[in-house]
Amino acid sequence: MSEQKSLNPWNYKPWWCQPWSILLTGVTLIAGSWLLFKTIWLTVLISIPVATWMGFFILIWPQLIIRSGILDSYENSVNLR
């Protein structure tokens, strides 16, 4: 029996597009806006799109890629070479 290997979409992304770098960038932007402006409403205004961006790329994007089957077809094409 062949084992079904779990495909990890993060294996196909460069270092600057990994979960740790996305989180680090988002937290830096939000904290930087607070340190720079010291205004809660501006920090909240900046944090909404940044948090949405982080949530999409850390939580939603990997699931979409796995469900699409694109990694399966990529693995099959690489194995055929």
Side-chain angles (χ1 to χ4, degrees):
M1 283 186 224
S2 65
E3 286 186 29
Q4 183 67 22
K5 185 175 86 171
S6 174
L7 295 174
N8 185 355
W10 299 112
N11 292 340
Y12 303 95
K13 300 298 276 180
W15 67 267
W16 47 266
C17 196
Q18 295 295 318
W20 64 268
S21 64
I22 293 170
L23 281 172
L24 184 63
T25 303
V27 168
T28 301
L29 287 171
I30 294 168
S33 73
W34 173 252
L35 292 173
L36 189 63
F37 303 116
K38 300 256 193 284
T39 308
I40 191 70
W41 67 267
L42 189 56
T43 301
V44 169
L45 194 64
I46 290 171
S47 68
I48 290 171
V50 171
T52 303
W53 166 76
M54 288 190 314
F56 177 79
F57 279 105
I58 292 175
L59 301 173
I60 298 170
W61 176 82
Q63 293 302 315
L64 290 173
I65 292 297
I66 290 169
R67 289 182 190 158
S68 73
I70 215 164
L71 296 178
D72 292 327
S73 60
Y74 179 76
E75 282 289 318
N76 291 337
S77 69
V78 169
N79 289 335
L80 291 176
R81 292 181 189 172

